[in-house]
Amino acid sequence: MTNELTIINKLKEVISRELNNYLDDGIEPINEKAVEVDAPDVDHMKYSTSIYIQPNYSSYENLTVRSDFAEGRYAVFILCKRDTQTNLTIKTLSYAKALYECLKNNPTMDEEADFTMIESSDFFMRVEGNENIKGVEVSVVIQYAQCY
């Protein structure tokens, strides 16, 4: 059964499994445990790079009595710390590029969704006022048929 929980867990799984395949040379792979469905929390980041997935909202359009066409919007936050200012910027942007490639090459997220796209992204030179933490917020839109 496809629903919001299935989609967000699949997004986490795809990022954890495939993101490292698209990283530039010299960029350290991300630990799969560093990808969480949660709000970003810079004070409790266990890893120098963490990815947080946060649902924004969903919309539905009735197709039949047995399914709805759904569109979920998710904010994916990529946060990097514990490095030089230049390296933090390079790493943060490299992870964002890898996320784009990851979703571009698997837009159905292993056939769980109909379509996935990145709507926008914002780069932050400081996260929570700390210049030693850089971040990117990526807005991901996932369309799928919600089955009952």
Side-chain angles (χ1 to χ4, degrees), residues 62-121:
N62 289 332
L63 291 179
T64 69
V65 210
R66 305 200 76 198
S67 73
D68 290 337
F69 179 73
E71 181 176 275
R73 293 176 180 271
Y74 305 90
V76 178
F77 297 92
I78 302 168
L79 303 180
C80 296
K81 66 180 185 178
R82 297 188 201 128
D83 210 333
T84 67
Q85 294 296 310
T86 302
N87 286 348
L88 285 173
T89 301
I90 291 168
K91 284 170 47 174
T92 305
L93 294 174
S94 292
Y95 289 115
K97 180 179 147 273
L99 176 64
Y100 170 79
E101 293 292 328
C102 174
L103 296 177
K104 180 180 95 171
N105 289 312
N106 190 355
T108 64
M109 295 191 318
D110 304 330
E111 307 299 324
E112 197 69 55
D114 294 322
F115 185 71
T116 302
M117 71 174 205
I118 291 180
E119 189 173 60
S120 64
S121 68

Coordinates of all heavy atoms in Angstrom, one line a residue, residues 62-121:
N62 N -8.8 13.2 -6.5 CA -9.5 11.9 -6.7 C -9.4 11.4 -8.1 O -9.7 12.1 -9.0 CB -11.0 12.0 -6.3 CG -11.2 12.2 -4.8 OD1 -10.3 11.8 -4.0 ND2 -12.2 12.9 -4.4
L63 N -9.0 10.1 -8.2 CA -9.0 9.5 -9.5 C -10.1 8.5 -9.6 O -10.9 8.4 -10.6 CB -7.7 8.8 -9.8 CG -6.5 9.7 -9.9 CD1 -5.2 8.8 -10.1 CD2 -6.6 10.6 -11.1
T64 N -10.2 7.6 -8.7 CA -11.3 6.6 -8.6 C -11.7 6.4 -7.2 O -11.2 7.1 -6.3 CB -10.7 5.2 -9.1 OG1 -9.8 4.7 -8.2 CG2 -10.0 5.3 -10.5
V65 N -12.6 5.5 -7.0 CA -13.1 5.2 -5.7 C -12.0 4.5 -4.8 O -12.0 4.5 -3.6 CB -14.3 4.3 -5.7 CG1 -15.2 4.6 -4.5 CG2 -15.1 4.4 -7.0
R66 N -11.1 3.9 -5.5 CA -10.1 3.0 -4.8 C -8.7 3.7 -4.7 O -7.8 3.1 -4.1 CB -9.9 1.7 -5.6 CG -11.3 1.0 -5.7 CD -11.2 -0.4 -6.0 NE -10.9 -1.0 -4.7 CZ -10.4 -2.2 -4.6 NH1 -10.2 -2.9 -5.6 NH2 -10.1 -2.7 -3.4
S67 N -8.5 4.8 -5.4 CA -7.2 5.4 -5.2 C -7.3 7.0 -5.4 O -8.2 7.5 -6.0 CB -6.2 4.9 -6.3 OG -6.5 5.3 -7.6
D68 N -6.3 7.6 -4.9 CA -6.2 9.1 -5.0 C -4.8 9.4 -5.6 O -3.8 8.7 -5.3 CB -6.2 9.8 -3.7 CG -7.5 9.8 -3.0 OD1 -8.5 9.6 -3.7 OD2 -7.6 9.9 -1.8
F69 N -4.8 10.4 -6.5 CA -3.5 10.8 -7.0 C -2.9 11.8 -5.9 O -3.6 12.7 -5.5 CB -3.6 11.5 -8.3 CG -2.3 12.1 -8.8 CD1 -1.4 11.2 -9.3 CD2 -2.1 13.4 -8.8 CE1 -0.2 11.7 -9.8 CE2 -0.9 13.9 -9.3 CZ 0.0 13.1 -9.8
A70 N -1.8 11.6 -5.4 CA -1.2 12.4 -4.3 C 0.1 13.0 -4.8 O 0.8 12.5 -5.6 CB -1.0 11.5 -3.1
E71 N 0.3 14.2 -4.2 CA 1.6 14.9 -4.4 C 2.1 15.3 -3.1 O 1.5 16.1 -2.4 CB 1.3 16.1 -5.3 CG 2.6 16.8 -5.7 CD 2.4 18.0 -6.6 OE1 2.4 17.7 -7.8 OE2 2.1 19.1 -6.2
G72 N 3.2 14.8 -2.7 CA 3.9 15.1 -1.4 C 5.1 16.0 -1.7 O 5.8 15.9 -2.6
R73 N 5.2 17.0 -0.8 CA 6.3 17.9 -0.8 C 7.2 17.7 0.4 O 6.7 17.6 1.5 CB 5.9 19.3 -1.0 CG 5.1 19.6 -2.3 CD 4.6 21.0 -2.4 NE 3.9 21.1 -3.6 CZ 4.5 21.5 -4.8 NH1 5.8 21.8 -4.7 NH2 3.8 21.6 -5.9
Y74 N 8.5 17.6 0.2 CA 9.4 17.3 1.3 C 10.6 18.3 1.2 O 11.1 18.6 0.2 CB 9.9 15.8 1.2 CG 8.8 14.9 1.1 CD1 8.2 14.5 -0.1 CD2 8.2 14.4 2.3 CE1 7.1 13.6 -0.1 CE2 7.1 13.5 2.3 CZ 6.6 13.1 1.0 OH 5.5 12.3 1.0
A75 N 11.0 18.7 2.4 CA 12.2 19.5 2.5 C 13.3 18.6 2.9 O 13.2 17.8 3.9 CB 12.0 20.6 3.5
V76 N 14.4 18.5 2.1 CA 15.6 17.7 2.4 C 16.7 18.7 2.8 O 17.1 19.5 2.0 CB 16.0 16.9 1.2 CG1 17.2 16.0 1.5 CG2 14.8 15.9 0.8
F77 N 17.2 18.6 4.0 CA 18.2 19.5 4.5 C 19.5 18.8 4.5 O 19.6 17.7 5.1 CB 17.9 20.0 5.9 CG 16.6 20.8 6.0 CD1 15.4 20.2 6.3 CD2 16.7 22.2 5.8 CE1 14.3 20.9 6.4 CE2 15.5 22.9 5.9 CZ 14.3 22.3 6.2
I78 N 20.5 19.3 3.9 CA 21.9 18.8 3.9 C 22.8 19.7 4.7 O 22.9 20.9 4.4 CB 22.5 18.6 2.5 CG1 21.5 17.8 1.7 CG2 23.9 18.1 2.5 CD1 21.8 17.8 0.2
L79 N 23.3 19.3 5.9 CA 24.1 20.1 6.7 C 25.5 19.5 6.9 O 25.7 18.3 7.1 CB 23.4 20.2 8.1 CG 22.0 20.7 8.2 CD1 21.5 20.7 9.6 CD2 21.9 22.1 7.6
C80 N 26.5 20.4 6.8 CA 27.9 20.0 6.9 C 28.6 20.9 7.9 O 28.4 22.1 8.0 CB 28.6 20.1 5.6 SG 28.0 19.1 4.2
K81 N 29.4 20.2 8.7 CA 30.2 21.0 9.8 C 31.6 20.3 9.9 O 31.8 19.3 9.3 CB 29.4 21.1 11.1 CG 29.2 19.7 11.8 CD 28.4 20.0 13.1 CE 28.3 18.7 13.9 NZ 27.6 18.9 15.2
R82 N 32.4 20.8 10.8 CA 33.7 20.3 11.1 C 34.7 20.3 9.9 O 35.2 19.2 9.6 CB 33.6 18.9 11.7 CG 32.9 18.8 13.0 CD 33.0 17.4 13.6 NE 31.9 17.2 14.5 CZ 31.1 16.2 14.5 NH1 31.2 15.2 13.7 NH2 30.2 16.1 15.4
D83 N 34.9 21.4 9.3 CA 35.8 21.5 8.2 C 36.1 23.0 7.9 O 35.5 23.9 8.6 CB 35.3 20.9 6.9 CG 36.4 20.3 6.0 OD1 37.5 20.8 6.1 OD2 36.1 19.3 5.3
T84 N 37.0 23.3 7.0 CA 37.3 24.7 6.7 C 36.1 25.3 6.0 O 35.3 24.6 5.4 CB 38.6 24.8 5.8 OG1 38.3 24.2 4.5 CG2 39.8 24.1 6.4
Q85 N 36.1 26.6 5.9 CA 35.0 27.3 5.3 C 34.8 26.9 3.8 O 33.8 26.6 3.3 CB 35.1 28.8 5.4 CG 35.0 29.3 6.8 CD 33.7 29.1 7.4 OE1 32.7 29.4 6.8 NE2 33.6 28.5 8.6
T86 N 36.0 26.8 3.1 CA 36.0 26.5 1.7 C 35.5 25.0 1.5 O 34.6 24.8 0.7 CB 37.4 26.7 1.1 OG1 37.8 28.0 1.3 CG2 37.4 26.3 -0.4
N87 N 36.0 24.1 2.3 CA 35.6 22.7 2.2 C 34.2 22.5 2.5 O 33.5 21.7 1.9 CB 36.5 21.8 3.0 CG 37.9 21.6 2.4 OD1 38.2 22.0 1.3 ND2 38.8 21.1 3.2
L88 N 33.7 23.2 3.5 CA 32.3 23.1 3.9 C 31.4 23.5 2.7 O 30.4 22.8 2.4 CB 31.9 24.0 5.1 CG 32.4 23.4 6.5 CD1 32.2 24.5 7.5 CD2 31.7 22.1 6.8
T89 N 31.7 24.6 2.0 CA 30.9 25.0 0.9 C 31.0 24.0 -0.2 O 30.0 23.6 -0.8 CB 31.4 26.4 0.4 OG1 31.3 27.4 1.4 CG2 30.6 26.9 -0.8
I90 N 32.2 23.5 -0.5 CA 32.3 22.5 -1.6 C 31.6 21.2 -1.3 O 30.9 20.7 -2.1 CB 33.8 22.2 -1.8 CG1 34.5 23.4 -2.5 CG2 34.0 21.0 -2.7 CD1 36.0 23.4 -2.5
K91 N 31.7 20.8 0.0 CA 31.0 19.5 0.4 C 29.5 19.7 0.3 O 28.8 18.8 -0.2 CB 31.5 19.1 1.8 CG 32.8 18.5 1.9 CD 33.4 18.3 3.3 CE 32.4 17.7 4.2 NZ 33.0 17.4 5.5
T92 N 29.0 20.8 0.9 CA 27.6 21.0 0.9 C 27.0 21.0 -0.5 O 26.0 20.3 -0.8 CB 27.2 22.3 1.6 OG1 27.8 22.2 2.9 CG2 25.7 22.4 1.8
L93 N 27.6 21.7 -1.4 CA 27.1 21.8 -2.8 C 27.3 20.5 -3.5 O 26.5 20.1 -4.4 CB 27.8 23.0 -3.5 CG 27.5 24.4 -3.0 CD1 28.3 25.4 -3.7 CD2 26.0 24.6 -3.1
S94 N 28.4 19.7 -3.2 CA 28.6 18.4 -3.8 C 27.5 17.4 -3.4 O 27.0 16.7 -4.2 CB 29.9 17.9 -3.5 OG 31.0 18.6 -4.0
Y95 N 27.1 17.5 -2.1 CA 26.0 16.6 -1.7 C 24.7 17.0 -2.3 O 23.9 16.1 -2.7 CB 25.9 16.6 -0.1 CG 27.0 15.9 0.6 CD1 27.9 16.6 1.4 CD2 27.2 14.5 0.4 CE1 29.0 16.0 2.0 CE2 28.3 13.9 1.1 CZ 29.1 14.6 1.9 OH 30.2 14.0 2.5
A96 N 24.5 18.3 -2.5 CA 23.2 18.7 -3.1 C 23.2 18.3 -4.6 O 22.2 17.8 -5.1 CB 23.1 20.2 -3.0
K97 N 24.3 18.4 -5.3 CA 24.4 17.9 -6.7 C 24.2 16.4 -6.7 O 23.5 15.9 -7.6 CB 25.8 18.3 -7.3 CG 26.0 17.8 -8.7 CD 27.3 18.3 -9.2 CE 27.9 17.3 -10.1 NZ 28.7 16.2 -9.7
A98 N 24.8 15.7 -5.8 CA 24.6 14.2 -5.8 C 23.1 13.8 -5.5 O 22.6 12.9 -6.1 CB 25.5 13.6 -4.7
L99 N 22.5 14.6 -4.6 CA 21.0 14.3 -4.4 C 20.2 14.5 -5.7 O 19.4 13.7 -6.0 CB 20.5 15.3 -3.3 CG 19.0 15.2 -3.0 CD1 18.7 13.8 -2.5 CD2 18.6 16.3 -2.1
Y100 N 20.5 15.6 -6.4 CA 19.9 15.8 -7.7 C 20.1 14.7 -8.6 O 19.1 14.1 -9.2 CB 20.4 17.1 -8.3 CG 19.9 17.3 -9.7 CD1 18.6 17.8 -10.0 CD2 20.8 17.0 -10.8 CE1 18.2 17.9 -11.3 CE2 20.3 17.1 -12.1 CZ 19.0 17.6 -12.4 OH 18.6 17.7 -13.7
E101 N 21.3 14.2 -8.8 CA 21.6 13.1 -9.7 C 21.0 11.8 -9.2 O 20.4 11.0 -10.0 CB 23.2 12.9 -9.8 CG 23.9 14.0 -10.4 CD 23.6 14.1 -11.9 OE1 23.3 13.1 -12.6 OE2 23.6 15.2 -12.4
C102 N 21.0 11.6 -7.9 CA 20.3 10.4 -7.3 C 18.9 10.3 -7.7 O 18.4 9.3 -8.2 CB 20.5 10.4 -5.8 SG 19.7 9.2 -4.9
L103 N 18.1 11.4 -7.5 CA 16.7 11.4 -7.8 C 16.4 11.5 -9.3 O 15.4 11.0 -9.8 CB 16.0 12.6 -7.1 CG 16.1 12.5 -5.5 CD1 15.5 13.7 -4.9 CD2 15.5 11.2 -5.0
K104 N 17.3 12.1 -10.1 CA 17.1 12.2 -11.5 C 17.2 10.8 -12.1 O 16.5 10.5 -13.1 CB 18.1 13.1 -12.1 CG 18.0 13.3 -13.7 CD 19.1 14.2 -14.2 CE 20.2 13.4 -14.7 NZ 21.2 14.1 -15.4
N105 N 18.1 10.0 -11.6 CA 18.4 8.7 -12.2 C 17.4 7.6 -11.6 O 17.4 6.5 -12.1 CB 19.8 8.3 -12.0 CG 20.7 9.1 -12.8 OD1 20.5 9.2 -14.0 ND2 21.8 9.7 -12.3
N106 N 16.7 7.9 -10.6 CA 15.7 7.0 -10.0 C 14.4 7.8 -9.7 O 14.0 7.8 -8.5 CB 16.2 6.3 -8.8 CG 15.4 5.1 -8.3 OD1 14.3 4.9 -8.8 ND2 15.9 4.5 -7.3
P107 N 13.7 8.4 -10.7 CA 12.6 9.3 -10.4 C 11.4 8.5 -9.9 O 10.5 9.1 -9.3 CB 12.3 9.9 -11.8 CG 12.8 8.9 -12.8 CD 14.0 8.3 -12.1
T108 N 11.3 7.2 -10.1 CA 10.2 6.5 -9.5 C 10.5 5.9 -8.2 O 9.6 5.2 -7.6 CB 9.7 5.3 -10.5 OG1 10.8 4.4 -10.6 CG2 9.4 5.9 -11.8
M109 N 11.7 6.1 -7.7 CA 12.1 5.6 -6.4 C 11.8 4.1 -6.3 O 11.0 3.7 -5.4 CB 11.5 6.4 -5.2 CG 12.0 7.8 -5.2 SD 11.7 8.7 -3.7 CE 10.0 8.3 -3.3
D110 N 12.4 3.3 -7.2 CA 12.2 1.9 -7.2 C 10.7 1.5 -7.4 O 10.2 0.6 -6.8 CB 12.7 1.2 -5.9 CG 14.2 1.5 -5.7 OD1 14.9 1.7 -6.6 OD2 14.5 1.5 -4.5
E111 N 10.1 2.2 -8.3 CA 8.7 2.0 -8.7 C 7.6 2.3 -7.6 O 6.5 1.9 -7.7 CB 8.5 0.5 -9.2 CG 9.4 0.1 -10.3 CD 9.3 1.0 -11.6 OE1 8.2 1.4 -11.9 OE2 10.3 1.3 -12.2
E112 N 8.0 3.0 -6.6 CA 7.1 3.3 -5.5 C 6.3 4.6 -5.8 O 5.2 4.8 -5.4 CB 7.9 3.5 -4.2 CG 7.0 3.5 -3.0 CD 6.4 2.1 -2.7 OE1 7.2 1.1 -2.6 OE2 5.2 2.0 -2.5
A113 N 6.9 5.5 -6.6 CA 6.3 6.7 -7.0 C 6.1 6.8 -8.5 O 6.7 6.0 -9.2 CB 7.2 7.9 -6.5
D114 N 5.3 7.7 -8.9 CA 5.1 7.9 -10.4 C 6.2 8.9 -10.9 O 6.7 8.8 -12.0 CB 3.7 8.5 -10.7 CG 2.6 7.5 -10.4 OD1 2.8 6.3 -10.6 OD2 1.6 7.9 -9.8
F115 N 6.5 9.9 -10.1 CA 7.5 10.9 -10.5 C 8.1 11.7 -9.3 O 7.4 11.9 -8.4 CB 6.7 11.9 -11.4 CG 7.6 13.0 -12.1 CD1 8.5 12.6 -13.1 CD2 7.5 14.3 -11.6 CE1 9.3 13.6 -13.6 CE2 8.3 15.2 -12.2 CZ 9.2 14.9 -13.2
T116 N 9.3 12.0 -9.4 CA 10.0 12.7 -8.4 C 10.8 13.9 -9.1 O 11.4 13.7 -10.1 CB 11.0 11.9 -7.6 OG1 10.3 10.8 -7.1 CG2 11.7 12.6 -6.5
M117 N 10.7 15.1 -8.5 CA 11.5 16.2 -9.0 C 11.9 17.1 -7.9 O 11.3 17.2 -6.9 CB 10.7 17.0 -10.1 CG 9.5 17.8 -9.5 SD 8.8 18.8 -10.8 CE 8.1 20.1 -9.9
I118 N 13.0 17.8 -8.2 CA 13.5 18.8 -7.3 C 12.9 20.2 -7.8 O 13.1 20.5 -8.9 CB 15.0 18.9 -7.2 CG1 15.5 17.6 -6.5 CG2 15.5 20.1 -6.5 CD1 17.0 17.5 -6.4
E119 N 12.2 20.8 -6.9 CA 11.5 22.1 -7.3 C 12.4 23.3 -7.1 O 12.5 24.1 -7.9 CB 10.2 22.2 -6.4 CG 9.4 23.4 -6.9 CD 8.1 23.3 -6.1 OE1 8.1 23.4 -4.9 OE2 7.0 23.2 -6.8
S120 N 13.2 23.3 -6.0 CA 14.1 24.4 -5.7 C 15.1 24.0 -4.7 O 14.9 23.0 -4.0 CB 13.3 25.6 -5.3 OG 12.7 25.3 -4.0
S121 N 16.1 24.8 -4.6 CA 17.1 24.6 -3.5 C 17.7 25.9 -3.0 O 17.8 26.8 -3.8 CB 18.2 23.6 -3.9 OG 19.0 24.2 -4.9

